[in-house]
Amino acid sequence: MCQSGARSGIPKETLLRDSVRERIAKRVLRSSGRAPASRCRLVANPRDGIYLGMLNRKLRSVSLVVTLLLGAPVVVLLVWPQAFSTHTVLFVAQLIAFRAPLALALGVGAVLSAIVALFKRRWGIAAGVAIVLGIASLANGGVLLSRGAAGALPDGDLTVVAWNTQGGATSPESVARLVLATGADIVSLPEMDDVAVAEVARLVALEGHRMTAATAYGETGESWIPTSVLIADGLGEYRVDTSAGSTPGLPSAVWRSVDGSGPTIVAAHTSPPLPGSMDEWRAGLQWIAEQCDAPDVIVAGDLNATADHLSGLGIGDALVGGCLDAAITTDVGAIGTWPTSAPAWLASPIDHVLFGAAWTVRGVQVLTSLDQTGSDHRPIVAVLDAR
């Protein structure tokens, strides 16, 4: 005979009237060998309620631990993909190029997941996701802080400028003003043609700053996006080294001192890491590394890559081949150069000045004052000293 709640001494209010709860309670009772008759209505047993509560808490804890274990490699992938050698793989390369926006997005995701965890009874998975995203957000922010955002331009032996002028978007007059303001000795100008760079040389010469202009159109000489360079006459005569080749897709070139007294100069522009040009982009970065094979080399230009993408290309403590990165070395590596439509702290630092062991860097600055002059890139200026 079935025992009612009143006969058992348990108030009717404690009966498990919810059908789902009754099914769970049945399973618990059967597992303990105390399954009731199928026609009897279940009566709540305080000990069974305690057991169910403990079981739910255990399941939530297990869900949290499993989520954290599965999320650990995701954190590594989002913070340091170099650990998996995926930093130059499609999608990962694009994500890691914008660490600041990535950190913000991960932080927002962490907050939303935490809110879900607070209001959801089975909170284990949501809490785990919040922790994973929060750690990834903070770690990306930590990487940016370690690379620094302060810049200065003290006096030195050599001033190097790199500025992608976005085709004809930046006028020769704007470039000339920058050259004169910085006293630049070497100016790398991706996307500026021979006519425009010759005009820059003419304008600065009027102010007594004489420079020689040269332009590269790729190995075939037919690239519709050129790369130009300005070299101060005080460094001596220079000639392009055609045997060095070029980055694929977009032109780069090597200029060597005729009498060997000046530095080797590389004006660089690699292809962007787009779905159809990933192989060209990676090959271009490898070409840059191969040019960093001499102590006196200086590389300047738009590499379409951050320091993360260059990881693994260096020899010893160098970042790329035998070269160090001027911005990273002077704790300015977190300041973005592209695009100018985004604040410098949100933009991607893809324009670089690299230097060989014959040089030390005195200071670096990414200039935001020229954001309205037409280009979608900010110029980067580095001051170097000879060792």
mmCIF file of all heavy atoms in Angstrom, residues 17-44:
data_model
loop_
_atom_site.group_PDB
_atom_site.id
_atom_site.type_symbol
_atom_site.label_atom_id
_atom_site.label_comp_id
_atom_site.label_asym_id
_atom_site.label_seq_id
_atom_site.Cartn_x
_atom_site.Cartn_y
_atom_site.Cartn_z
ATOM 1 N N ARG A 17 6.438 17.204 -6.872
ATOM 2 C CA ARG A 17 5.328 17.201 -7.816
ATOM 3 C C ARG A 17 5.794 17.405 -9.251
ATOM 4 O O ARG A 17 5.074 17.103 -10.163
ATOM 5 C CB ARG A 17 4.327 18.313 -7.444
ATOM 6 C CG ARG A 17 3.741 18.112 -6.042
ATOM 7 C CD ARG A 17 2.674 19.158 -5.750
ATOM 8 N NE ARG A 17 2.176 19.038 -4.388
ATOM 9 C CZ ARG A 17 1.250 18.156 -4.012
ATOM 10 N NH1 ARG A 17 0.739 17.332 -4.909
ATOM 11 N NH2 ARG A 17 0.859 18.093 -2.765
ATOM 12 N N ASP A 18 6.955 17.943 -9.413
ATOM 13 C CA ASP A 18 7.465 18.144 -10.773
ATOM 14 C C ASP A 18 7.875 16.810 -11.380
ATOM 15 O O ASP A 18 8.640 16.056 -10.762
ATOM 16 C CB ASP A 18 8.669 19.081 -10.744
ATOM 17 C CG ASP A 18 9.124 19.418 -12.142
ATOM 18 O OD1 ASP A 18 8.634 20.390 -12.719
ATOM 19 O OD2 ASP A 18 10.009 18.680 -12.629
ATOM 20 N N SER A 19 7.363 16.512 -12.574
ATOM 21 C CA SER A 19 7.600 15.190 -13.184
ATOM 22 C C SER A 19 9.071 14.939 -13.449
ATOM 23 O O SER A 19 9.557 13.815 -13.327
ATOM 24 C CB SER A 19 6.814 15.062 -14.491
ATOM 25 O OG SER A 19 7.230 16.062 -15.406
ATOM 26 N N VAL A 20 9.802 15.992 -13.827
ATOM 27 C CA VAL A 20 11.226 15.818 -14.100
ATOM 28 C C VAL A 20 11.957 15.450 -12.829
ATOM 29 O O VAL A 20 12.792 14.538 -12.807
ATOM 30 C CB VAL A 20 11.812 17.109 -14.692
ATOM 31 C CG1 VAL A 20 13.309 16.994 -14.866
ATOM 32 C CG2 VAL A 20 11.147 17.422 -16.027
ATOM 33 N N ARG A 21 11.634 16.119 -11.740
ATOM 34 C CA ARG A 21 12.280 15.812 -10.472
ATOM 35 C C ARG A 21 11.934 14.402 -9.998
ATOM 36 O O ARG A 21 12.755 13.713 -9.389
ATOM 37 C CB ARG A 21 11.867 16.839 -9.413
ATOM 38 C CG ARG A 21 12.424 18.237 -9.671
ATOM 39 C CD ARG A 21 12.058 19.161 -8.567
ATOM 40 N NE ARG A 21 12.612 20.492 -8.792
ATOM 41 C CZ ARG A 21 12.443 21.529 -7.974
ATOM 42 N NH1 ARG A 21 11.735 21.364 -6.864
ATOM 43 N NH2 ARG A 21 12.977 22.692 -8.264
ATOM 44 N N GLU A 22 10.693 13.997 -10.263
ATOM 45 C CA GLU A 22 10.303 12.646 -9.873
ATOM 46 C C GLU A 22 11.131 11.603 -10.611
ATOM 47 O O GLU A 22 11.558 10.599 -10.028
ATOM 48 C CB GLU A 22 8.810 12.436 -10.153
ATOM 49 C CG GLU A 22 7.904 13.171 -9.169
ATOM 50 C CD GLU A 22 6.455 12.793 -9.384
ATOM 51 O OE1 GLU A 22 6.209 11.821 -10.139
ATOM 52 O OE2 GLU A 22 5.589 13.443 -8.791
ATOM 53 N N ARG A 23 11.376 11.843 -11.926
ATOM 54 C CA ARG A 23 12.160 10.870 -12.676
ATOM 55 C C ARG A 23 13.586 10.791 -12.146
ATOM 56 O O ARG A 23 14.175 9.721 -12.054
ATOM 57 C CB ARG A 23 12.150 11.239 -14.159
ATOM 58 C CG ARG A 23 10.819 10.968 -14.851
ATOM 59 C CD ARG A 23 10.977 10.975 -16.363
ATOM 60 N NE ARG A 23 11.321 12.305 -16.842
ATOM 61 C CZ ARG A 23 10.415 13.225 -17.170
ATOM 62 N NH1 ARG A 23 9.121 12.949 -17.054
ATOM 63 N NH2 ARG A 23 10.788 14.408 -17.611
ATOM 64 N N ILE A 24 14.156 11.950 -11.800
ATOM 65 C CA ILE A 24 15.515 11.945 -11.239
ATOM 66 C C ILE A 24 15.522 11.205 -9.911
ATOM 67 O O ILE A 24 16.406 10.386 -9.637
ATOM 68 C CB ILE A 24 16.015 13.387 -11.058
ATOM 69 C CG1 ILE A 24 16.159 14.070 -12.421
ATOM 70 C CG2 ILE A 24 17.339 13.426 -10.304
ATOM 71 C CD1 ILE A 24 16.517 15.531 -12.333
ATOM 72 N N ALA A 25 14.502 11.480 -9.082
ATOM 73 C CA ALA A 25 14.445 10.823 -7.778
ATOM 74 C C ALA A 25 14.298 9.315 -7.918
ATOM 75 O O ALA A 25 14.870 8.544 -7.146
ATOM 76 C CB ALA A 25 13.290 11.403 -6.963
ATOM 77 N N LYS A 26 13.496 8.867 -8.905
ATOM 78 C CA LYS A 26 13.351 7.429 -9.139
ATOM 79 C C LYS A 26 14.677 6.774 -9.425
ATOM 80 O O LYS A 26 14.998 5.704 -8.913
ATOM 81 C CB LYS A 26 12.383 7.189 -10.302
ATOM 82 C CG LYS A 26 10.916 7.365 -9.953
ATOM 83 C CD LYS A 26 10.061 7.085 -11.197
ATOM 84 C CE LYS A 26 8.594 7.302 -10.873
ATOM 85 N NZ LYS A 26 7.754 7.017 -12.062
ATOM 86 N N ARG A 27 15.475 7.415 -10.288
ATOM 87 C CA ARG A 27 16.774 6.843 -10.630
ATOM 88 C C ARG A 27 17.651 6.742 -9.384
ATOM 89 O O ARG A 27 18.369 5.765 -9.185
ATOM 90 C CB ARG A 27 17.458 7.698 -11.692
ATOM 91 C CG ARG A 27 16.740 7.713 -13.027
ATOM 92 C CD ARG A 27 17.618 8.324 -14.104
ATOM 93 N NE ARG A 27 16.898 8.485 -15.365
ATOM 94 C CZ ARG A 27 16.354 9.615 -15.772
ATOM 95 N NH1 ARG A 27 16.480 10.700 -15.027
ATOM 96 N NH2 ARG A 27 15.701 9.683 -16.921
ATOM 97 N N VAL A 28 17.611 7.766 -8.557
ATOM 98 C CA VAL A 28 18.419 7.750 -7.339
ATOM 99 C C VAL A 28 17.998 6.618 -6.424
ATOM 100 O O VAL A 28 18.817 5.877 -5.879
ATOM 101 C CB VAL A 28 18.325 9.105 -6.614
ATOM 102 C CG1 VAL A 28 19.010 9.058 -5.269
ATOM 103 C CG2 VAL A 28 18.927 10.206 -7.470
ATOM 104 N N LEU A 29 16.676 6.473 -6.241
ATOM 105 C CA LEU A 29 16.171 5.423 -5.352
ATOM 106 C C LEU A 29 16.476 4.032 -5.890
ATOM 107 O O LEU A 29 16.824 3.115 -5.145
ATOM 108 C CB LEU A 29 14.667 5.602 -5.146
ATOM 109 C CG LEU A 29 14.259 6.880 -4.366
ATOM 110 C CD1 LEU A 29 12.746 7.016 -4.320
ATOM 111 C CD2 LEU A 29 14.820 6.830 -2.954
ATOM 112 N N ARG A 30 16.332 3.851 -7.221
ATOM 113 C CA ARG A 30 16.625 2.543 -7.788
ATOM 114 C C ARG A 30 18.099 2.187 -7.601
ATOM 115 O O ARG A 30 18.449 1.040 -7.355
ATOM 116 C CB ARG A 30 16.268 2.533 -9.271
ATOM 117 C CG ARG A 30 14.768 2.522 -9.541
ATOM 118 C CD ARG A 30 14.478 2.141 -10.985
ATOM 119 N NE ARG A 30 13.061 2.230 -11.290
ATOM 120 C CZ ARG A 30 12.470 3.248 -11.876
ATOM 121 N NH1 ARG A 30 13.207 4.294 -12.237
ATOM 122 N NH2 ARG A 30 11.188 3.265 -12.107
ATOM 123 N N SER A 31 18.973 3.197 -7.778
ATOM 124 C CA SER A 31 20.406 2.923 -7.628
ATOM 125 C C SER A 31 20.750 2.497 -6.209
ATOM 126 O O SER A 31 21.749 1.838 -5.970
ATOM 127 C CB SER A 31 21.215 4.167 -8.013
ATOM 128 O OG SER A 31 20.969 5.210 -7.102
ATOM 129 N N SER A 32 19.900 2.910 -5.245
ATOM 130 C CA SER A 32 20.161 2.523 -3.849
ATOM 131 C C SER A 32 19.368 1.291 -3.440
ATOM 132 O O SER A 32 19.388 0.888 -2.277
ATOM 133 C CB SER A 32 19.800 3.702 -2.939
ATOM 134 O OG SER A 32 18.427 4.011 -3.049
ATOM 135 N N GLY A 33 18.624 0.677 -4.380
ATOM 136 C CA GLY A 33 17.868 -0.536 -4.090
ATOM 137 C C GLY A 33 16.559 -0.282 -3.403
ATOM 138 O O GLY A 33 15.957 -1.204 -2.841
ATOM 139 N N ARG A 34 16.081 0.955 -3.435
ATOM 140 C CA ARG A 34 14.843 1.279 -2.743
ATOM 141 C C ARG A 34 13.804 1.832 -3.701
ATOM 142 O O ARG A 34 13.114 2.784 -3.412
ATOM 143 C CB ARG A 34 15.112 2.313 -1.637
ATOM 144 C CG ARG A 34 16.016 1.802 -0.551
ATOM 145 C CD ARG A 34 16.151 2.793 0.616
ATOM 146 N NE ARG A 34 16.929 3.971 0.223
ATOM 147 C CZ ARG A 34 16.418 5.164 0.061
ATOM 148 N NH1 ARG A 34 15.135 5.372 0.237
ATOM 149 N NH2 ARG A 34 17.187 6.190 -0.297
ATOM 150 N N ALA A 35 13.680 1.261 -4.897
ATOM 151 C CA ALA A 35 12.731 1.762 -5.894
ATOM 152 C C ALA A 35 11.311 1.514 -5.433
ATOM 153 O O ALA A 35 10.961 0.403 -5.019
ATOM 154 C CB ALA A 35 12.966 1.070 -7.229
ATOM 155 N N PRO A 36 10.455 2.524 -5.461
ATOM 156 C CA PRO A 36 9.053 2.360 -5.038
ATOM 157 C C PRO A 36 8.238 1.649 -6.106
ATOM 158 O O PRO A 36 8.673 1.514 -7.241
ATOM 159 C CB PRO A 36 8.594 3.813 -4.870
ATOM 160 C CG PRO A 36 9.406 4.559 -5.881
ATOM 161 C CD PRO A 36 10.738 3.882 -5.911
ATOM 162 N N ALA A 37 7.077 1.219 -5.730
ATOM 163 C CA ALA A 37 6.155 0.620 -6.705
ATOM 164 C C ALA A 37 5.811 1.650 -7.751
ATOM 165 O O ALA A 37 5.701 2.835 -7.475
ATOM 166 C CB ALA A 37 4.879 0.144 -5.988
ATOM 167 N N SER A 38 5.622 1.169 -8.970
ATOM 168 C CA SER A 38 5.453 2.088 -10.092
ATOM 169 C C SER A 38 4.216 2.950 -9.945
ATOM 170 O O SER A 38 4.158 4.035 -10.482
ATOM 171 C CB SER A 38 5.389 1.301 -11.404
ATOM 172 O OG SER A 38 4.298 0.405 -11.362
ATOM 173 N N ARG A 39 3.168 2.449 -9.211
ATOM 174 C CA ARG A 39 1.933 3.219 -9.091
ATOM 175 C C ARG A 39 1.969 4.182 -7.905
ATOM 176 O O ARG A 39 1.064 4.967 -7.731
ATOM 177 C CB ARG A 39 0.734 2.287 -8.949
ATOM 178 C CG ARG A 39 0.489 1.445 -10.193
ATOM 179 C CD ARG A 39 -0.726 0.562 -9.997
ATOM 180 N NE ARG A 39 -0.948 -0.270 -11.171
ATOM 181 C CZ ARG A 39 -1.939 -1.171 -11.255
ATOM 182 N NH1 ARG A 39 -2.782 -1.329 -10.243
ATOM 183 N NH2 ARG A 39 -2.076 -1.877 -12.354
ATOM 184 N N CYS A 40 2.981 4.077 -7.092
ATOM 185 C CA CYS A 40 3.038 4.938 -5.914
ATOM 186 C C CYS A 40 3.616 6.291 -6.279
ATOM 187 O O CYS A 40 4.555 6.368 -7.048
ATOM 188 C CB CYS A 40 3.922 4.297 -4.829
ATOM 189 S SG CYS A 40 3.217 2.805 -4.098
ATOM 190 N N ARG A 41 3.032 7.305 -5.709
ATOM 191 C CA ARG A 41 3.591 8.635 -5.907
ATOM 192 C C ARG A 41 4.781 8.787 -4.992
ATOM 193 O O ARG A 41 4.729 8.436 -3.821
ATOM 194 C CB ARG A 41 2.537 9.697 -5.601
ATOM 195 C CG ARG A 41 3.030 11.101 -5.956
ATOM 196 C CD ARG A 41 1.854 12.054 -5.971
ATOM 197 N NE ARG A 41 2.296 13.352 -6.431
ATOM 198 C CZ ARG A 41 2.468 13.689 -7.691
ATOM 199 N NH1 ARG A 41 2.263 12.801 -8.642
ATOM 200 N NH2 ARG A 41 2.869 14.909 -8.019
ATOM 201 N N LEU A 42 5.865 9.310 -5.541
ATOM 202 C CA LEU A 42 7.094 9.417 -4.770
ATOM 203 C C LEU A 42 6.921 10.377 -3.608
ATOM 204 O O LEU A 42 6.280 11.415 -3.723
ATOM 205 C CB LEU A 42 8.231 9.910 -5.663
ATOM 206 C CG LEU A 42 8.776 8.863 -6.623
ATOM 207 C CD1 LEU A 42 9.756 9.530 -7.554
ATOM 208 C CD2 LEU A 42 9.416 7.728 -5.865
ATOM 209 N N VAL A 43 7.542 10.029 -2.522
ATOM 210 C CA VAL A 43 7.528 10.881 -1.345
ATOM 211 C C VAL A 43 8.926 11.404 -1.137
ATOM 212 O O VAL A 43 9.901 10.656 -1.211
ATOM 213 C CB VAL A 43 7.067 10.080 -0.105
ATOM 214 C CG1 VAL A 43 7.127 10.958 1.140
ATOM 215 C CG2 VAL A 43 5.670 9.553 -0.323
ATOM 216 N N ALA A 44 9.038 12.697 -0.920
ATOM 217 C CA ALA A 44 10.356 13.287 -0.759
ATOM 218 C C ALA A 44 11.022 12.763 0.497
ATOM 219 O O ALA A 44 10.408 12.710 1.561
ATOM 220 C CB ALA A 44 10.243 14.806 -0.680
#
